Structure formats: structure tokens, C-alpha cells
Amino acid sequence: MKFCMKCGSFYEEKEGTAGCPKCAGIAALYKAAEAAEVDHAMDEETAKRLRKRAWLELLIGIPAFIGVIYGLICLFRLLRA
């Protein structure tokens, strides 16, 4: 058994694999996340529009979520009384 100094896990070294499989899985997740990010090669107009949309979603979504939670708490209090 080998010990990975990076993540601290033990693993069996198999033929055809290089290094820790846990670290390889994490690296694959990071690679997929980078691919899912906003494409930095897009034109400035599209990037600006997407940034504005993301901020609007945050500014509307977070207060709406808090409102839903508050509404559920009020509903439970009303039903209990």
C-alpha cells in the first residue's frame, strides 16, 4: 500500500494508473468546474450581459429565499396557535 502525501489516504497502486486515485478524482472535478465557468474568450458585450444577469439573480434570489423561510416560519406559528 502506498500513502499519498497530498491528501493523506492509502491506496493500492494499480497498473495503468499514476498516483493517488482520490487526488486524480479531485483534479477531474476541478477540470470540469473550470470548463463550466463563463467562457473568458467571449466578446465583452456578452460577458457584461452575463455578469449583470448573475448579479440580478443574486439580488432577487437571496431576499426571495429569506422571504420564503420567513413565510414558512409565520405559517408554522399560525398553525400551531
Side-chain angles (χ1 to χ4, degrees):
M1 274 196 152
K2 289 202 169 207
F3 180 73
C4 179
M5 299 297 269
K6 188 174 182 181
C7 68
S9 65
F10 290 100
Y11 64 95
E12 292 286 332
E13 190 170 5
K14 295 182 182 176
E15 203 171 305
T17 60
C20 174
K22 186 176 179 182
C23 292
I26 292 171
L29 285 175
Y30 279 124
K31 190 175 182 180
E34 287 178 7
E37 283 183 355
V38 176
D39 185 15
H40 296 290
M42 68 176 63
D43 60 309
E44 187 62 33
E45 178 76 25
T46 307
K48 187 176 180 180
R49 185 173 43 85
L50 288 175
R51 263 188 253 116
K52 186 183 283 187
R53 181 178 173 156
W55 273 107
L56 283 173
E57 288 173 356
L58 281 173
L59 291 174
I60 293 171
I62 292 174
F65 178 71
I66 293 170
V68 167
I69 298 296
Y70 182 73
L72 288 173
I73 290 171
C74 289
L75 181 67
F76 285 136
R77 285 185 180 172
L78 187 68
L79 290 175
R80 222 182 342 147

Coordinates of all heavy atoms in Angstrom, one line a residue:
M1 N 0.8 -1.2 0.0 CA 0.0 0.0 0.0 C 0.9 1.2 0.0 O 1.9 1.3 0.7 CB -0.9 0.0 1.2 CG -2.1 -0.7 1.1 SD -3.2 -0.1 2.5 CE -4.7 -0.4 1.7
K2 N 0.4 2.2 -0.7 CA 1.1 3.5 -0.8 C 0.3 4.5 0.0 O -0.9 4.4 0.2 CB 1.3 3.9 -2.2 CG 2.3 3.1 -2.9 CD 2.9 3.8 -4.1 CE 4.1 3.0 -4.7 NZ 5.0 3.9 -5.3
F3 N 1.0 5.6 0.4 CA 0.4 6.7 1.1 C 0.6 7.9 0.3 O 1.7 8.3 -0.1 CB 1.1 6.8 2.5 CG 0.6 7.9 3.3 CD1 -0.7 7.8 3.9 CD2 1.3 9.1 3.5 CE1 -1.2 8.8 4.7 CE2 0.8 10.1 4.3 CZ -0.5 10.0 4.9
C4 N -0.5 8.7 0.1 CA -0.5 9.9 -0.6 C -0.1 11.0 0.3 O -0.8 11.3 1.3 CB -1.8 10.2 -1.3 SG -1.8 11.7 -2.2
M5 N 0.9 11.7 0.1 CA 1.4 12.8 1.0 C 0.5 14.1 0.8 O 0.4 14.9 1.7 CB 2.8 13.2 0.7 CG 3.8 12.1 0.9 SD 3.8 11.6 2.6 CE 5.1 12.6 3.2
K6 N -0.2 14.1 -0.3 CA -1.1 15.3 -0.6 C -2.4 15.3 0.1 O -2.8 16.2 0.8 CB -1.3 15.4 -2.1 CG -1.9 16.7 -2.6 CD -2.0 16.8 -4.1 CE -2.6 18.1 -4.5 NZ -2.7 18.1 -6.0
C7 N -3.1 14.1 0.0 CA -4.4 14.0 0.6 C -4.4 13.2 1.9 O -5.4 13.1 2.6 CB -5.4 13.6 -0.4 SG -5.2 11.8 -0.9
G8 N -3.4 12.4 2.1 CA -3.3 11.6 3.3 C -4.1 10.3 3.3 O -4.5 9.8 4.3
S9 N -4.3 9.7 2.1 CA -5.0 8.5 2.0 C -4.1 7.4 1.5 O -3.1 7.6 0.9 CB -6.2 8.6 1.1 OG -5.8 8.8 -0.3
F10 N -4.5 6.1 1.9 CA -3.8 5.0 1.5 C -4.4 4.4 0.2 O -5.6 4.5 0.0 CB -3.8 3.9 2.5 CG -3.0 4.2 3.7 CD1 -3.6 4.7 4.9 CD2 -1.6 4.0 3.7 CE1 -2.8 5.0 6.0 CE2 -0.8 4.3 4.8 CZ -1.4 4.8 6.0
Y11 N -3.6 3.9 -0.7 CA -4.2 3.4 -2.0 C -3.3 2.3 -2.5 O -2.1 2.2 -2.2 CB -4.4 4.5 -3.0 CG -3.1 5.1 -3.5 CD1 -2.4 4.7 -4.6 CD2 -2.5 6.2 -2.8 CE1 -1.2 5.2 -5.0 CE2 -1.3 6.7 -3.2 CZ -0.7 6.3 -4.3 OH 0.5 6.8 -4.7
E12 N -4.0 1.4 -3.3 CA -3.2 0.4 -3.9 C -2.8 0.9 -5.3 O -3.6 1.4 -6.1 CB -4.1 -0.9 -4.1 CG -4.5 -1.6 -2.8 CD -3.4 -2.4 -2.3 OE1 -2.5 -2.8 -3.0 OE2 -3.4 -2.5 -1.0
E13 N -1.6 0.7 -5.6 CA -1.1 1.1 -6.9 C -1.4 0.0 -7.9 O -1.1 -1.1 -7.8 CB 0.4 1.3 -6.9 CG 1.0 1.9 -8.1 CD 2.4 2.3 -8.0 OE1 3.0 2.0 -7.0 OE2 2.9 3.0 -8.9
K14 N -2.2 0.4 -8.9 CA -2.7 -0.5 -10.0 C -2.0 -0.2 -11.3 O -1.5 1.0 -11.5 CB -4.2 -0.4 -10.1 CG -5.0 -0.8 -8.9 CD -6.5 -0.7 -9.2 CE -7.2 -1.1 -7.9 NZ -8.6 -0.9 -8.0
E15 N -2.0 -1.1 -12.1 CA -1.3 -1.0 -13.4 C -2.1 0.0 -14.3 O -3.4 0.0 -14.4 CB -1.3 -2.3 -14.1 CG -0.2 -2.4 -15.1 CD 0.0 -3.8 -15.7 OE1 0.2 -4.7 -14.8 OE2 -0.1 -4.0 -16.9
G16 N -1.5 1.0 -14.9 CA -2.1 1.9 -15.8 C -2.5 3.2 -15.1 O -3.0 4.1 -15.7
T17 N -2.4 3.3 -13.7 CA -2.7 4.5 -13.0 C -1.5 5.1 -12.4 O -0.6 4.4 -12.0 CB -3.7 4.2 -11.9 OG1 -3.1 3.3 -11.0 CG2 -5.0 3.7 -12.4
A18 N -1.4 6.4 -12.4 CA -0.2 7.0 -11.9 C -0.7 7.9 -10.7 O -1.5 8.8 -10.9 CB 0.4 7.9 -12.9
G19 N -0.3 7.6 -9.5 CA -0.6 8.4 -8.3 C -1.9 8.0 -7.7 O -2.5 6.9 -7.9
C20 N -2.3 8.8 -6.8 CA -3.4 8.6 -5.9 C -4.7 8.7 -6.7 O -5.0 9.7 -7.4 CB -3.4 9.6 -4.7 SG -4.8 9.5 -3.7
P21 N -5.7 7.7 -6.6 CA -6.9 7.9 -7.3 C -7.8 9.0 -6.8 O -8.6 9.6 -7.5 CB -7.6 6.5 -7.2 CG -6.8 5.8 -6.1 CD -5.5 6.4 -6.0
K22 N -7.7 9.2 -5.4 CA -8.5 10.3 -4.8 C -8.1 11.6 -5.4 O -9.0 12.5 -5.7 CB -8.4 10.2 -3.3 CG -9.3 11.2 -2.6 CD -9.1 11.0 -1.1 CE -10.0 11.9 -0.3 NZ -9.8 11.8 1.1
C23 N -6.8 11.9 -5.4 CA -6.3 13.1 -6.0 C -6.7 13.3 -7.5 O -6.9 14.4 -7.9 CB -4.8 13.3 -5.8 SG -4.3 13.4 -4.0
A24 N -6.6 12.2 -8.2 CA -7.0 12.2 -9.6 C -8.5 12.6 -9.8 O -8.8 13.3 -10.7 CB -6.7 10.9 -10.3
G25 N -9.3 12.1 -8.9 CA -10.7 12.4 -9.0 C -11.0 13.8 -8.6 O -11.8 14.5 -9.3
I26 N -10.3 14.4 -7.7 CA -10.4 15.8 -7.3 C -9.9 16.7 -8.5 O -10.6 17.7 -8.8 CB -9.7 16.1 -6.0 CG1 -10.4 15.4 -4.8 CG2 -9.6 17.6 -5.8 CD1 -9.6 15.4 -3.5
A27 N -8.8 16.3 -9.1 CA -8.3 17.0 -10.2 C -9.3 17.0 -11.4 O -9.5 18.0 -12.1 CB -7.0 16.5 -10.7
A28 N -10.0 15.9 -11.6 CA -11.0 15.8 -12.6 C -12.2 16.7 -12.3 O -12.8 17.4 -13.2 CB -11.5 14.4 -12.8
L29 N -12.6 16.8 -11.0 CA -13.7 17.7 -10.7 C -13.3 19.2 -10.9 O -14.1 20.0 -11.4 CB -14.0 17.5 -9.2 CG -14.8 16.3 -8.9 CD1 -15.0 16.2 -7.4 CD2 -16.2 16.3 -9.5
Y30 N -12.1 19.6 -10.6 CA -11.6 20.9 -10.8 C -11.6 21.2 -12.3 O -11.9 22.3 -12.7 CB -10.2 21.2 -10.2 CG -10.3 21.5 -8.7 CD1 -9.6 20.7 -7.8 CD2 -11.0 22.5 -8.2 CE1 -9.6 21.0 -6.4 CE2 -11.1 22.8 -6.9 CZ -10.3 22.0 -6.0 OH -10.4 22.3 -4.6
K31 N -11.2 20.3 -13.1 CA -11.1 20.5 -14.5 C -12.5 20.7 -15.1 O -12.7 21.5 -15.9 CB -10.4 19.3 -15.2 CG -10.1 19.5 -16.6 CD -9.3 18.3 -17.2 CE -8.9 18.5 -18.6 NZ -8.2 17.4 -19.2
A32 N -13.5 19.9 -14.6 CA -14.9 20.0 -15.1 C -15.4 21.4 -14.6 O -16.2 22.0 -15.4 CB -15.7 18.9 -14.6
A33 N -15.1 21.8 -13.4 CA -15.6 23.1 -12.9 C -15.0 24.3 -13.8 O -15.7 25.2 -14.1 CB -15.2 23.3 -11.5
E34 N -13.8 24.2 -14.2 CA -13.2 25.2 -15.0 C -13.8 25.2 -16.4 O -14.0 26.3 -16.9 CB -11.7 25.0 -15.1 CG -10.9 25.3 -13.9 CD -9.4 25.0 -14.1 OE1 -9.0 24.7 -15.2 OE2 -8.7 25.1 -13.0
A35 N -14.2 24.1 -16.9 CA -14.9 24.0 -18.2 C -16.3 24.6 -18.1 O -16.8 25.1 -19.1 CB -14.9 22.6 -18.7
A36 N -16.9 24.5 -16.9 CA -18.3 25.0 -16.8 C -18.3 26.5 -16.5 O -19.4 27.1 -16.5 CB -19.0 24.3 -15.6
E37 N -17.2 27.1 -16.2 CA -17.2 28.6 -15.9 C -17.6 29.4 -17.2 O -17.6 28.8 -18.3 CB -15.8 29.0 -15.5 CG -15.5 28.7 -14.1 CD -14.1 29.2 -13.7 OE1 -13.4 29.7 -14.5 OE2 -13.8 29.0 -12.5
V38 N -17.8 30.6 -17.0 CA -18.1 31.5 -18.1 C -16.9 31.6 -19.0 O -15.7 31.7 -18.5 CB -18.4 33.0 -17.6 CG1 -18.6 33.9 -18.7 CG2 -19.6 32.9 -16.7
D39 N -17.1 31.4 -20.3 CA -16.0 31.4 -21.2 C -15.4 32.8 -21.3 O -16.0 33.8 -21.6 CB -16.6 31.0 -22.6 CG -15.5 30.8 -23.7 OD1 -14.3 30.7 -23.3 OD2 -15.8 30.8 -24.8
H40 N -14.1 32.8 -21.0 CA -13.4 34.1 -21.0 C -13.0 34.6 -22.4 O -12.5 35.7 -22.5 CB -12.1 34.0 -20.1 CG -12.4 33.7 -18.7 ND1 -13.0 34.6 -17.9 CD2 -12.3 32.6 -17.9 CE1 -13.2 34.1 -16.7 NE2 -12.8 32.9 -16.7
A41 N -13.2 33.7 -23.4 CA -12.9 34.1 -24.7 C -14.1 34.8 -25.4 O -14.0 35.2 -26.6 CB -12.4 32.9 -25.5
M42 N -15.2 34.9 -24.7 CA -16.4 35.6 -25.3 C -16.2 37.1 -25.5 O -15.3 37.6 -24.8 CB -17.6 35.2 -24.5 CG -17.7 35.9 -23.2 SD -19.2 35.6 -22.3 CE -19.2 33.8 -22.1
D43 N -17.0 37.7 -26.3 CA -16.9 39.1 -26.5 C -17.3 39.9 -25.3 O -18.0 39.3 -24.4 CB -17.6 39.5 -27.7 CG -19.1 39.3 -27.6 OD1 -19.5 38.1 -27.3 OD2 -19.9 40.2 -27.9
E44 N -16.9 41.1 -25.2 CA -17.1 41.9 -24.0 C -18.6 42.2 -23.7 O -19.0 42.2 -22.6 CB -16.4 43.3 -24.1 CG -16.4 44.1 -22.9 CD -15.7 43.5 -21.7 OE1 -14.7 42.7 -21.9 OE2 -16.1 43.7 -20.6
E45 N -19.4 42.3 -24.8 CA -20.8 42.6 -24.6 C -21.5 41.4 -24.0 O -22.3 41.6 -23.0 CB -21.4 42.8 -26.0 CG -22.9 43.1 -26.0 CD -23.3 44.5 -25.5 OE1 -22.4 45.4 -25.6 OE2 -24.4 44.6 -25.0
T46 N -21.2 40.2 -24.4 CA -21.9 39.0 -23.8 C -21.4 38.8 -22.4 O -22.2 38.5 -21.5 CB -21.5 37.8 -24.7 OG1 -21.8 38.0 -26.0 CG2 -22.3 36.6 -24.2
A47 N -20.1 39.0 -22.1 CA -19.6 38.9 -20.7 C -20.3 39.9 -19.8 O -20.6 39.5 -18.7 CB -18.1 39.0 -20.7
K48 N -20.4 41.1 -20.3 CA -21.1 42.1 -19.5 C -22.5 41.8 -19.2 O -23.0 41.9 -18.0 CB -21.0 43.5 -20.2 CG -21.4 44.6 -19.4 CD -21.2 45.9 -20.2 CE -21.7 47.1 -19.4 NZ -21.5 48.4 -20.1
R49 N -23.2 41.3 -20.2 CA -24.6 40.9 -20.0 C -24.8 39.7 -19.0 O -25.7 39.7 -18.2 CB -25.2 40.5 -21.4 CG -26.7 40.2 -21.3 CD -27.3 40.0 -22.7 NE -26.5 39.2 -23.6 CZ -26.5 37.9 -23.7 NH1 -27.3 37.2 -22.9 NH2 -25.8 37.2 -24.5
L50 N -23.9 38.7 -19.1 CA -23.9 37.6 -18.2 C -23.6 38.0 -16.8 O -24.2 37.5 -15.8 CB -23.0 36.5 -18.7 CG -23.5 35.7 -19.9 CD1 -22.4 34.8 -20.4 CD2 -24.8 35.0 -19.7
R51 N -22.6 38.9 -16.6 CA -22.3 39.4 -15.3 C -23.5 40.1 -14.6 O -23.8 39.9 -13.5 CB -21.1 40.3 -15.3 CG -19.8 39.6 -15.0 CD -18.7 40.5 -14.9 NE -17.8 40.4 -16.0 CZ -17.6 41.3 -17.0 NH1 -18.1 42.5 -16.9 NH2 -16.8 41.0 -18.0
K52 N -24.1 41.0 -15.4 CA -25.3 41.7 -14.9 C -26.4 40.8 -14.6 O -27.1 40.9 -13.5 CB -25.8 42.7 -16.0 CG -26.9 43.6 -15.5 CD -27.4 44.5 -16.6 CE -26.4 45.6 -16.8 NZ -27.0 46.6 -17.8
R53 N -26.6 39.7 -15.4 CA -27.7 38.7 -15.1 C -27.4 38.0 -13.8 O -28.3 37.7 -13.0 CB -27.8 37.8 -16.2 CG -28.9 36.8 -16.0 CD -29.1 35.8 -17.2 NE -30.0 34.8 -16.8 CZ -30.7 34.1 -17.7 NH1 -30.6 34.4 -19.0 NH2 -31.5 33.2 -17.3
A54 N -26.1 37.6 -13.6 CA -25.8 36.9 -12.4 C -26.0 37.8 -11.1 O -26.5 37.3 -10.1 CB -24.3 36.5 -12.5
W55 N -25.7 39.0 -11.2 CA -25.9 39.9 -10.1 C -27.4 40.1 -9.8 O -27.8 40.1 -8.7 CB -25.2 41.3 -10.3 CG -23.8 41.3 -9.8 CD1 -22.7 41.3 -10.6 CD2 -23.4 41.3 -8.5 NE1 -21.6 41.3 -9.9 CE2 -22.0 41.3 -8.5 CE3 -24.0 41.2 -7.3 CZ2 -21.2 41.2 -7.4 CZ3 -23.2 41.2 -6.1 CH2 -21.8 41.2 -6.2
L56 N -28.2 40.2 -10.9 CA -29.6 40.3 -10.7 C -30.2 39.1 -10.0 O -31.1 39.2 -9.2 CB -30.3 40.6 -12.0 CG -30.2 42.1 -12.5 CD1 -30.8 42.2 -13.9 CD2 -30.9 43.0 -11.6
E57 N -29.7 37.9 -10.4 CA -30.2 36.7 -9.9 C -29.9 36.6 -8.4 O -30.7 36.2 -7.6 CB -29.6 35.5 -10.6 CG -30.2 35.3 -12.0 CD -29.5 34.2 -12.7 OE1 -28.5 33.6 -12.2 OE2 -29.9 33.9 -13.9
L58 N -28.7 37.1 -8.0 CA -28.3 37.1 -6.6 C -29.2 38.1 -5.8 O -29.6 37.8 -4.7 CB -26.8 37.5 -6.4 CG -25.8 36.4 -6.7 CD1 -24.4 37.0 -6.6 CD2 -26.0 35.3 -5.7
L59 N -29.3 39.3 -6.4 CA -30.1 40.4 -5.7 C -31.5 40.1 -5.5 O -32.2 40.5 -4.6 CB -29.9 41.7 -6.4 CG -28.5 42.3 -6.3 CD1 -28.4 43.6 -7.2 CD2 -28.1 42.6 -4.9
I60 N -32.1 39.3 -6.4 CA -33.5 38.9 -6.3 C -33.6 37.6 -5.6 O -34.5 37.4 -4.7 CB -34.1 38.8 -7.7 CG1 -34.2 40.2 -8.3 CG2 -35.5 38.2 -7.6 CD1 -34.6 40.3 -9.7
G61 N -32.7 36.6 -5.8 CA -32.9 35.3 -5.3 C -32.6 35.2 -3.8 O -33.4 34.5 -3.1
I62 N -31.7 35.9 -3.2 CA -31.4 35.8 -1.8 C -32.5 36.4 -1.0 O -33.0 35.7 0.0 CB -30.0 36.4 -1.5 CG1 -28.9 35.5 -2.1 CG2 -29.8 36.6 0.0 CD1 -27.5 36.1 -2.0
P63 N -33.0 37.6 -1.3 CA -34.1 38.1 -0.5 C -35.4 37.2 -0.6 O -36.2 37.0 0.3 CB -34.4 39.5 -1.0 CG -33.1 39.9 -1.6 CD -32.5 38.7 -2.1
A64 N -35.6 36.7 -1.8 CA -36.7 35.8 -2.0 C -36.6 34.5 -1.2 O -37.6 34.1 -0.6 CB -36.9 35.4 -3.5
F65 N -35.4 34.0 -1.1 CA -35.2 32.8 -0.3 C -35.5 33.1 1.2 O -36.1 32.3 1.9 CB -33.8 32.3 -0.5 CG -33.4 31.1 0.4 CD1 -34.0 29.9 0.1 CD2 -32.6 31.2 1.4 CE1 -33.7 28.8 0.9 CE2 -32.2 30.1 2.2 CZ -32.8 28.9 1.9
I66 N -35.0 34.2 1.7 CA -35.2 34.7 3.0 C -36.7 34.9 3.3 O -37.2 34.5 4.3 CB -34.4 35.9 3.4 CG1 -32.9 35.6 3.4 CG2 -34.8 36.5 4.7 CD1 -32.0 36.8 3.4
G67 N -37.4 35.4 2.3 CA -38.8 35.7 2.4 C -39.6 34.3 2.5 O -40.5 34.2 3.3
V68 N -39.2 33.4 1.8 CA -39.8 32.1 1.8 C -39.6 31.4 3.2 O -40.6 30.9 3.8 CB -39.3 31.1 0.7 CG1 -39.7 29.7 0.9 CG2 -39.8 31.6 -0.7
I69 N -38.4 31.5 3.7 CA -38.2 30.9 5.0 C -39.0 31.7 6.1 O -39.6 31.0 7.0 CB -36.6 31.0 5.4 CG1 -35.8 30.2 4.4 CG2 -36.4 30.6 6.8 CD1 -36.1 28.7 4.4
Y70 N -39.0 33.0 6.0 CA -39.8 33.8 6.9 C -41.3 33.4 6.8 O -42.0 33.3 7.8 CB -39.6 35.3 6.7 CG -40.4 36.2 7.6 CD1 -40.0 36.3 9.0 CD2 -41.5 36.9 7.2 CE1 -40.6 37.1 9.8 CE2 -42.2 37.7 8.1 CZ -41.8 37.8 9.4 OH -42.4 38.6 10.2
G71 N -41.8 33.2 5.6 CA -43.2 32.9 5.4 C -43.5 31.5 6.0 O -44.6 31.3 6.6
L72 N -42.6 30.5 5.8 CA -42.8 29.2 6.4 C -42.8 29.3 8.0 O -43.7 28.6 8.6 CB -41.7 28.3 6.0 CG -41.8 27.8 4.5 CD1 -40.6 27.0 4.2 CD2 -43.1 27.0 4.3
I73 N -42.0 30.1 8.5 CA -42.0 30.2 10.0 C -43.3 30.8 10.5 O -43.9 30.4 11.5 CB -40.7 31.1 10.5 CG1 -39.5 30.3 10.2 CG2 -40.9 31.5 11.9 CD1 -38.2 31.1 10.4
C74 N -43.7 31.9 9.8 CA -45.0 32.5 10.2 C -46.2 31.5 10.0 O -47.1 31.5 10.8 CB -45.2 33.8 9.3 SG -44.2 35.1 9.8
L75 N -46.1 30.7 9.0 CA -47.2 29.7 8.7 C -47.2 28.7 9.8 O -48.3 28.3 10.3 CB -47.0 29.1 7.4 CG -48.0 28.1 7.0 CD1 -49.4 28.7 6.7 CD2 -47.6 27.3 5.7
F76 N -46.1 28.2 10.2 CA -46.0 27.2 11.3 C -46.5 27.8 12.6 O -47.2 27.2 13.4 CB -44.6 26.7 11.5 CG -44.2 25.7 10.4 CD1 -42.9 25.8 9.8 CD2 -45.0 24.7 10.0 CE1 -42.5 24.9 8.8 CE2 -44.7 23.8 9.0 CZ -43.4 23.9 8.4
R77 N -46.1 29.1 12.9 CA -46.6 29.7 14.1 C -48.1 29.9 14.1 O -48.8 29.7 15.1 CB -45.9 31.1 14.3 CG -44.5 31.0 14.8 CD -44.0 32.4 15.0 NE -42.6 32.3 15.5 CZ -41.8 33.3 15.7 NH1 -42.3 34.5 15.4 NH2 -40.6 33.2 16.1
L78 N -48.7 30.2 12.9 CA -50.1 30.4 12.8 C -50.8 29.1 13.0 O -51.9 29.1 13.6 CB -50.4 31.0 11.4 CG -51.8 31.5 11.2 CD1 -52.2 32.6 12.0 CD2 -52.0 31.8 9.7
L79 N -50.3 28.0 12.4 CA -51.0 26.7 12.5 C -50.9 26.2 13.9 O -51.8 25.4 14.4 CB -50.3 25.8 11.5 CG -50.6 26.0 10.1 CD1 -49.9 25.1 9.2 CD2 -52.1 25.9 9.8
R80 N -49.8 26.5 14.6 CA -49.6 26.0 16.0 C -50.5 26.7 17.0 O -50.9 26.1 18.0 CB -48.1 26.1 16.4 CG -47.7 24.9 17.1 CD -46.3 24.9 17.7 NE -45.3 25.8 17.2 CZ -44.4 26.3 17.9 NH1 -44.3 26.0 19.2 NH2 -43.5 27.2 17.4
A81 N -50.8 27.9 16.8 CA -51.6 28.7 17.7 C -53.0 28.5 17.7 O -53.7 27.8 17.1 CB -51.3 30.2 17.5

